[in-house]
Amino acid sequence: MGEELKLHGAWISPFVYRVIWALKLKGVPYEYIEEDLSNKSPLLLKYNPVHKKVPALVHAGKPICESMIIVEYIEETWPQYPLLPIDPYERAMARFWVKFAEEKGDAVWALFRTSGEEQEKAMKGTLEMLKTIEEHSPDAKKFFGGDKIGIVDIAFGAIGYWLGVVEELLGVALFEAHAFPRLHAWLKNFTEAPKIKENLPGRDELVVFVRSWRAERLLASQN
Amino acid sequence: MAKNDDVKVLGAWPSPFVMRARIALNLKSIDYEFLEETIGSKSQLLLQSNPVHKKVPVLIHGDKPICESLIIVQYIDEVWTSAPSILPSDPYDRAIQRFWAAYVDDKLFASMRQIKSLEGEEKKAMVEQATEGIVLLEEAFEKCSKGKPFFGGDRIGYLDIAFGSILGWLRATEKMGEVKLLDEAKTPRLVKWAGRFCADGAVKDCMPETDKLIELAKVLMAKMKGAPPKQ
């Protein structure tokens, strides 16, 4: 397919990285456009008028929004390196865990922008989420997708990596190896997989960025 | 029927999410057993089949449980491949329908549910939010339907099911809250679409009656008010 493919993203966004991973795993070339989230481009607002967010994938001029919807679109358009199983029941299971990641992952994102009581609540939510995945998700071989990375790995991978960032930022340990052995082993496999390792934002840079972002927000809310 | 062909739906009559599973099965002309959960309690079967969320609907196909309404709809479409197709075949059209179905669940239904227990300015703001969302869906309808009767074209499809299933509660909210959400003046196409959707053969037997929903809402609200304060 020689049609133009563009990804509007931001280097700090876990949602954008889900899309990057899908494209990289499938070897699909694309143009990346970095958005300044404090000053969104008119193009982004045109492509995502409803949510005004990144990522927005634009394929031959047509925009697709919402990270996991974009990943399913990529899966259905470029069949190499399949991210979903073939069997309908297995597919339903994979989609179940993707939805779970989307809903419960909110607790992790809340950790970034909250403090005090709200943040305590988010920590609780994060631990509950981790516990459920550790107990109920199917046995990961190397990955949730089996021997190869699949859609569930992509959904959880963003949460796992960014959780590490917020733990460092806040000086807390939520995702402890002794409490979540399966998940810990899985995250190591995921972040060390070549196509993923080459496509991760620097953890230190993220911590620095989030630290100053939180400080700015705090200042703004006090004025 | 062989055990593998056994199809059961664990559900509850007021739930729009349960409706989605039933409509999809009806569209495909699949016979199923409807196992009604008692409101206020959860059966052993439900707890076993959906240990993560403990919610309806659950589709049980043979001995395999499938959870989450829109995932169930996709599963039904992928297992029973005879016409009509529930999702469109083009990946872009599929993405658009998935986008708006997610919008219905995450934004529209969420704001709609709050209206009946709000008052004054708060209520006004929430009603405005909901009606703005429906206006967006009117635009989406124009694009998706391409002049045909449904989001899915000639027949009910994925987005029709996702959005149409909340019409019962939408009407109940309008009556209880004395507000207009689906307005002839603002969203004329959707008003007509809603009529067609509710009258469709695959829908009408599982769409709950508005008055029954209102009765239920009142009972549940009274229970909540009467409940002792949480420590």
Side-chain angles (χ1 to χ4, degrees):
Chain A
M1 285 210 172
E3 289 151 331
E4 247 185 4
L5 189 63
K6 296 184 184 189
L7 173 61
H8 288 254
W11 71 274
I12 49 142
S13 165
F15 308 100
V16 169
Y17 273 87
R18 285 172 170 163
V19 177
I20 292 175
W21 295 331
L23 291 169
K24 292 288 182 185
L25 286 164
K26 288 179 179 278
V28 178
Y30 64 98
E31 185 192 335
Y32 179 74
I33 295 147
E34 177 77 24
E35 289 282 338
D36 174 1
L37 296 182
S38 61
N39 185 20
K40 292 172 184 176
S41 74
L43 217 51
L44 176 64
L45 299 177
K46 175 180 131 181
Y47 289 138
N48 195 353
V50 176
H51 301 299
K52 305 176 174 53
K53 286 181 175 175
V54 291
L57 185 73
V58 189
H59 189 200
K62 295 195 287 196
I64 306 105
C65 306
E66 297 293 291
S67 63
M68 295 315 298
I69 292 178
I70 297 173
V71 172
E72 283 225 51
Y73 174 81
I74 291 168
E75 168 70 357
E76 290 170 0
T77 308
W78 291 280
Q80 67 273 26
Y81 200 105
L83 298 170
L84 270 165
I86 296 174
D87 173 68
Y89 178 69
E90 300 296 323
R91 290 163 77 86
M93 288 307 297
R95 287 182 173 131
F96 176 89
W97 288 108
V98 167
K99 182 147 206 274
F100 182 86
E102 286 182 308
E103 275 176 23
K104 306 297 179 182
D106 266 351
V108 176
W109 316 134
L111 288 172
F112 283 89
R113 46 168 211 273
T114 56
S115 43
E117 213 182 287
E118 265 193 87
Q119 196 177 65
E120 289 284 328
K121 202 171 156 211
M123 288 202 202
K124 236 185 126 207
T126 298
L127 286 169
E128 275 168 24
M129 173 196 74
L130 292 170
K131 194 159 175 276
T132 304
I133 304 170
E134 180 79 21
E135 283 177 19
H136 288 282
S137 64
D139 280 322
K141 295 183 185 59
K142 194 166 179 202
F143 304 109
F144 287 108
D147 297 315
K148 290 192 158 150
I149 289 172
I151 201 170
V152 177
D153 301 280
I154 289 178
F156 284 160
I159 297 174
Y161 187 74
W162 264 258
L163 183 52
V165 171
V166 82
E167 283 180 307
E168 191 173 319
L169 179 76
L170 301 176
V172 294
L174 293 167
F175 185 28
E176 295 184 276
H178 67 87
F180 308 103
R182 288 179 57 208
L183 275 180
H184 245 264
W186 162 78
L187 188 62
K188 192 160 184 286
N189 289 337
F190 182 77
T191 52
E192 288 179 358
K195 285 267 153 56
I196 304 300
K197 197 168 173 184
E198 300 158 1
N199 293 290
L200 281 171
R203 224 172 93 148
D204 295 336
E205 286 91 330
L206 274 176
V207 172
V208 166
F209 177 88
V210 181
R211 192 166 280 141
S212 82
W213 178 79
R214 276 177 67 90
E216 266 175 54
R217 269 171 72 99
L218 194 59
L219 212 62
S221 70
Q222 284 169 347
N223 290 338
Chain B
M1 268 202 286
K3 183 149 205 281
N4 282 342
D5 292 336
D6 263 2
V7 181
K8 298 183 170 76
V9 172
L10 291 186
W13 68 268
S15 164
F17 308 107
V18 171
M19 252 190 92
R20 291 170 177 175
R22 300 178 73 184
I23 295 171
L25 289 167
N26 288 343
L27 280 170
K28 299 278 189 182
S29 305
I30 303 296
D31 285 327
Y32 65 94
E33 194 185 343
F34 184 55
L35 299 172
E36 181 103 40
E37 289 283 317
T38 313
I39 295 170
S41 77
K42 294 175 200 260
S43 70
Q44 263 305 105
L45 185 58
L46 176 60
L47 297 175
Q48 273 167 21
S49 317
N50 193 354
V52 173
H53 300 298
K54 307 175 177 52
K55 285 182 175 175
V56 292
V58 181
L59 179 78
I60 306 182
H61 185 201
D63 53 1
K64 296 190 285 221
I66 298 104
C67 308
E68 297 292 320
S69 63
L70 294 175
I71 294 175
I72 292 172
V73 171
Q74 289 183 89
Y75 174 82
I76 290 167
D77 203 28
E78 289 176 1
V79 169
W80 291 283
T81 52
S82 59
S85 267
I86 296 176
L87 272 151
S89 50
D90 176 70
Y92 187 73
D93 294 335
R94 291 158 76 95
I96 295 298
Q97 291 210 13
R98 284 178 175 137
F99 176 90
W100 288 111
Y103 183 86
V104 166
D105 280 353
D106 300 338
K107 304 281 182 206
L108 182 60
F109 193 51
S111 47
M112 219 179 73
R113 289 179 100 150
Q114 296 182 51
I115 290 170
K116 59 184 180 299
S117 30
L118 293 175
E119 290 170 12
E121 282 307 310
E122 276 190 336
K123 178 175 164 184
K124 207 165 159 237
M126 199 55 68
V127 170
E128 221 180 279
Q129 208 173 290
T131 41
E132 272 166 21
I134 297 175
V135 168
L136 288 176
L137 281 157
E138 171 93 358
E139 289 165 22
F141 180 75
E142 256 198 273
K143 293 201 181 116
C144 291
S145 64
K146 299 177 181 117
K148 295 200 171 166
F150 298 106
F151 286 94
D154 289 312
R155 286 235 57 191
I156 284 177
Y158 184 77
L159 184 50
D160 297 280
I161 295 174
F163 185 23
S165 57
I166 71 167
L167 286 170
W169 278 109
L170 188 147
R171 288 176 172 150
T173 303
E174 285 182 324
K175 257 185 161 172
M176 286 188 293
E178 290 174 320
V179 293
K180 202 123 189 56
L181 295 173
L182 205 51
D183 194 341
E184 263 277 341
K186 293 187 183 156
T187 55
R189 287 180 184 83
L190 283 182
V191 169
K192 294 205 180 80
W193 162 82
R196 288 192 293 267
F197 180 83
C198 295
D200 190 278
V203 173
K204 59 183 202 271
D205 291 337
C206 43
M207 177 68 82
E209 283 171 43
T210 309
D211 290 331
K212 291 215 167 104
L213 289 175
I214 293 174
E215 235 180 86
L216 177 65
K218 289 187 174 149
V219 167
L220 293 175
M221 275 162 75
K223 266 196 182 151
M224 272 172 56
K225 287 205 174 111
K230 291 196 169 168
Q231 298 295 16

